[in-house]
């Protein structure tokens, strides 16, 4: 298996380098043409991941796809770059929803690569005050990650990675951008963005059928699907409370900041106490 994966990566690497060389090196095509060629090579790599079941090939393909815009050169604008990176999020997490094996196991790798890879573009867009693009893309990424975790829990596949990804996406995507907008004195709706996302989290907690039952001890006799949804609902409550408190801190700076810290600390403490027993019951 390792030998076949190595051959596949060698072939895909050759295609990828050819796509890159056609643009910046040989100038046979423009930046868009080079980007398309490298994107096709990365896409073939994801198809090879299905064929060989190799996470190594899949991880390398995701890295290649994220690096392609930087290697292709040119300046397609913040909207084009945001759309491209959003498409990678959709493909990476969408494959986990369609083909759980092996792509569910690649979600953390994909998320880490994507967050690190989009950081230069994100910082550039923030520096250029392209706030609408930044908000729309980060909200889309956050939604894609949550949809993948919820779908996996509904099918009873797993919950640990889903819980971790939900919290990580909130901490890295949904909270910093509104705070950065406030620090930049942007006259916008940044204070309402975390509030809306927090309401979505609470809505999922109720839509899952768990609702306020997430604050109770999980029933060990329930199905694995039910226990997975219970874990995600509890996490959704934690995210919802945290995001609403962040919104309060943005909209009511004088009173909201200490209130946000106090309520968030209590929510984290309650969630932390429940987490060990929850993990034991679902394992």
């Amino acid at each position: 298996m390792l030998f076949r994966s190595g051959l596949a990566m060698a072939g895909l690497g050759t295609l990828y380098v050819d796509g890159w060389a056609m643009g910046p090196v040989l100038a046979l095509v423009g930046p868009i043409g080079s980007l398309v060629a490298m994107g096709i090579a990365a896409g073939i790599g994801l198809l090879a991941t299905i064929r060989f079941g190799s996470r190594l090939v899949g991880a390398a393909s995701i890295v290649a796809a994220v690096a392609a815009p930087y290697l292709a050169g040119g300046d397609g604008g913040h909207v084009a770059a945001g759309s491209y990176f959003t498409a990678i999020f959709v493909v990476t997490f969408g494959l986990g929803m369609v083909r759980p094996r092996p792509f569910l196991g690649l979600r953390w790798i994909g998320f880490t690569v994507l967050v690190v890879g989009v950081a230069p573009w994100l910082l550039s867009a923030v520096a250029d005050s392209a706030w609408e693009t930044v908000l729309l893309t980060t909200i889309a990424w956050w939604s894609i990650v949550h949809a993948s975790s919820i779908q996996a829990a509904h099918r009873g596949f797993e919950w640990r990675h889903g819980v971790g990804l939900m919290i990580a996406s909130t901490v890295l995507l949904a909270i910093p951008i509104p705070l950065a907008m406030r620090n930049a004195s942007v006259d916008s709706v940044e204070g309402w963005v975390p509030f809306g996302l927090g309401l979505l989290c609470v809505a999922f907690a109720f839509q899952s059928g768990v609702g306020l039952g997430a604050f109770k001890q999980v029933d060990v006799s329930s199905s694995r699907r039910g226990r997975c949804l219970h874990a995600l609902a509890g996490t959704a409550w934690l995210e919802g409370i945290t995001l609403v408190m962040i919104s309060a801190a943005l909209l009511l700076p004088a009173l909201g900041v200490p209130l946000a810290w106090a309520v968030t600390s209590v929510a984290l403490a309650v969630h932390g106490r429940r987490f060990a027993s929850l993990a034991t019951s679902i394992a």
Side-chain angles (χ1 to χ4, degrees):
M1 178 64 71
L2 184 61
F3 178 73
R4 289 188 297 171
S5 299
L7 288 177
M9 290 183 63
L12 292 168
T14 302
L15 288 176
Y16 190 82
V17 171
D18 287 344
W20 167 70
M22 286 192 304
V25 178
L26 301 176
L28 298 177
V29 296
I32 297 297
S34 180
L35 175 62
V36 169
M38 287 187 284
I40 290 174
I44 295 174
L46 292 175
L47 294 176
T49 303
I50 298 175
R51 172 65 179 83
F52 297 110
S54 172
R55 295 182 183 179
L56 181 60
V57 176
S61 300
I62 295 171
V63 172
V66 172
Y70 303 110
L71 295 176
D75 183 11
H78 294 307
V79 174
S83 301
Y84 175 83
F85 288 126
T86 300
I88 300 177
F89 265 93
V90 171
V91 171
T92 300
F93 288 90
L95 285 172
M97 299 167 69
V98 177
R99 294 292 297 264
R101 186 176 297 174
F103 289 105
L104 272 183
L106 279 170
R107 289 185 304 166
W108 261 115
I109 297 174
F111 180 80
T112 303
V113 169
L114 283 163
V115 169
V116 173
V118 303
W121 167 77
L122 202 57
L123 293 174
S124 173
V126 168
D128 293 340
S129 298
W131 294 111
E132 291 184 0
T133 301
V134 170
L135 271 178
L136 289 175
T137 51
T138 51
I139 289 172
W141 301 343
W142 182 91
S143 303
I144 293 164
V145 171
H146 279 66
S148 172
S149 298
I150 292 169
Q151 194 263 1
H154 267 290
R155 298 177 68 177
F157 285 136
E158 61 85 34
W159 68 278
R160 290 180 181 85
H161 287 213
V163 164
L165 286 165
M166 287 169 63
I167 295 176
S169 65
T170 294
V171 171
L172 296 176
L173 301 176
I175 294 177
I177 299 303
L179 294 178
M181 294 178 69
R182 172 52 59 89
N183 291 335
S185 299
V186 178
D187 184 16
S188 182
V189 295
E190 72 279 358
W192 294 103
V193 171
F195 182 79
L197 296 180
L199 291 184
L200 285 177
C201 290
V202 175
F204 158 70
F206 283 101
Q207 183 273 336
S208 66
V210 179
L212 294 174
F215 295 99
K216 300 178 182 179
Q217 187 67 29
V218 62
D219 184 1
V220 295
S221 64
S222 59
S223 65
R224 180 172 177 81
R225 173 181 177 274
R227 287 176 285 163
C228 289
L229 287 174
H230 190 279
L232 259 67
T235 302
W237 273 109
L238 172 65
E239 289 183 286
I241 293 171
T242 302
L243 288 166
V244 169
M245 289 302 100
I246 292 293
S247 181
L250 291 171
L251 297 173
L252 305 168
L255 176 64
V257 174
L259 178 65
W261 277 111
V263 176
T264 302
S265 298
V266 172
L268 287 169
V270 172
H271 191 74
R273 288 187 62 184
R274 295 179 56 252
F275 193 80
S277 59
L278 184 64
T280 302
S281 62
I282 295 180

